[in-house]
Amino acid sequence: MSAVTEKTKATVKSDTVKNAPENTKVVYETKDLNLWYGEGHALKNINLAINENEVTAIIGPSGCGKSTYIKTLNRMVELVPSVKISGEILYRGRNILEKSYQVEDLRTSVGMVFQKPNPFPKSIYDNIAYGPKIHGIRDKKVLDEIVEKSLRGAAIWDDVKDRLNQNAYGLSGGQQQRICIARALAIEPDVILMDEPTSALDPISTLKVEELVQELKKDYSIIIVTHNMQQAARISDKTAFFLNGEVIEFAETDKIFSNPSDKRTEDYITGRFG
């Protein structure tokens, strides 16, 4: 796994955020990003700089462009027919929309966790080992180490260590979601994208995933889409409020929830619409 990581890290450069603390680095920056589904203008002039080792929450009502935005960051949105994109999406200073940018390299560095837990119909072990195997790792001892490290990283090793050969479908919904997080960690990403990762989970499982996110930000940059404003307030460092495909406000989470600059932000977080 280290070969993959070193190769990836060697090809990227870090930029510093303007007016940010000296050691703060930008991991993603979108500049004048616009996206259309056919004639529908889904994202409008999105300008955001997202820092490494922070949790950035994307909030807003249904249909405001949250999930579309996060899927531009690993180019999954390109799988949708009739999509057109303009502007720039800089990952570690390089525009991922350039034709020369290999999407496989991007998705090695940028993991994704979806709204609904989606483990493969395989054993717990094979779910985690899948990505490393794709990258050419065959040594059983190395794979064993990656599987254990990833499951520990997702705070589920103690739950599953004695049943690694059992089908992941036999786990609870919350456990399945943590298996999916472990699967993302197994390729040693730089960034983890989460698209409403707790919306299908019960409150206890949701709490466990939120606690996990707080731990993971020590080693990863996390961008999370959530409908749950309380969740954004609990776990994120910065919050972006999207409305009708635009970023209305982007600031420290405490400021967004206690002293928003835009009345539309205040109206949304106080429940006047959405």
Side-chain angles (χ1 to χ4, degrees):
M1 211 62 254
S2 59
V4 175
T5 305
E6 290 306 314
K7 174 188 171 188
T8 304
K9 287 181 178 176
T11 63
V12 297
K13 295 180 179 179
S14 299
D15 282 342
T16 341
V17 183
K18 293 175 184 176
N19 303 319
E22 188 176 338
N23 294 324
T24 301
K25 294 180 180 177
V26 170
V27 63
Y28 262 110
E29 189 171 8
T30 50
K31 295 183 176 181
D32 299 323
L33 176 65
N34 286 270
L35 181 144
W36 294 262
Y37 292 123
E39 297 299 314
H41 198 175
L43 295 178
K44 304 168 186 174
N45 298 315
I46 306 296
N47 290 281
L48 282 179
I50 292 172
N51 295 343
E52 66 179 15
N53 298 111
E54 289 186 351
V55 179
T56 302
I58 311 292
I59 65 170
S62 296
C64 69
K66 302 186 302 293
S67 290
T68 294
Y69 173 73
I70 202 173
K71 288 173 183 173
T72 67
L73 301 181
N74 66 353
R75 290 176 48 185
M76 277 195 67
V77 75
E78 295 174 9
L79 300 174
V80 180
S82 75
V83 159
K84 185 175 72 172
I85 302 176
S86 69
E88 292 183 307
I89 304 172
L90 304 180
Y91 167 61
R92 297 288 187 186
R94 185 177 170 198
N95 186 6
I96 67 171
L97 299 178
E98 293 174 355
K99 290 184 179 179
S100 61
Y101 203 112
Q102 295 295 311
V103 71
E104 295 81 7
D105 291 342
L106 178 66
R107 291 179 189 160
T108 296
S109 300
V110 182
M112 183 96 181
V113 178
F114 296 91
Q115 180 174 358
K116 185 178 179 182
N118 62 339
F120 301 140
K122 300 173 178 285
S123 70
I124 294 167
Y125 184 99
D126 287 340
N127 263 271
I128 311 306
Y130 180 83
K133 285 180 178 178
I134 290 290
H135 290 296
I137 295 175
R138 294 287 181 268
D139 186 299
K140 178 69 164 57
K141 183 178 179 183
V142 174
L143 288 171
D144 288 351
E145 290 173 353
I146 291 171
V147 168
E148 179 173 347
K149 180 182 177 184
S150 302
L151 290 168
R152 285 188 183 279
I156 195 171
W157 170 253
D158 289 338
D159 291 2
V160 301
K161 63 184 179 182
D162 297 322
R163 43 177 173 159
L164 295 178
N165 294 321
Q166 294 179 18
N167 196 300
Y169 281 2
L171 299 172
S172 70
Q175 289 173 323
Q176 286 186 20
Q177 192 66 300
R178 282 184 285 158
I179 290 295
C180 294
I181 293 170
R183 190 175 65 198
L185 298 181
I187 59 168
E188 296 187 348
D190 179 34
V191 178
I192 303 174
L193 307 176
M194 295 184 166
D195 191 1
E196 301 204 45
T198 63
S199 63
L201 304 183
D202 62 84
I204 292 174
S205 297
T206 294
L207 177 61
K208 288 182 178 179
V209 171
E210 289 182 2
E211 290 172 344
L212 174 57
V213 167
Q214 289 293 288
E215 282 298 310
L216 291 175
K217 80 170 184 178
K218 296 173 185 174
D219 299 305
Y220 306 93
S221 308
I222 298 172
I223 304 166
I224 181 168
V225 167
T226 179
H227 267 108
N228 186 329
M229 286 182 285
Q230 290 77 20
Q231 180 174 80
R234 284 192 298 265
I235 69 171
S236 68
D237 300 287
K238 301 246 176 61
T239 296
F241 170 51
F242 278 52
L243 183 65
N244 298 325
E246 298 181 73
V247 177
I248 303 302
E249 191 165 350
F250 178 50
E252 300 282 343
T253 295
D254 287 348
K255 181 181 185 307
I256 289 283
F257 284 93
S258 64
N259 186 29
S261 300
D262 193 291
K263 188 175 187 304
R264 291 168 293 180
T265 310
E266 181 181 356
D267 288 347
Y268 179 69
I269 64 176
T270 56
R272 292 193 181 99
F273 72 94

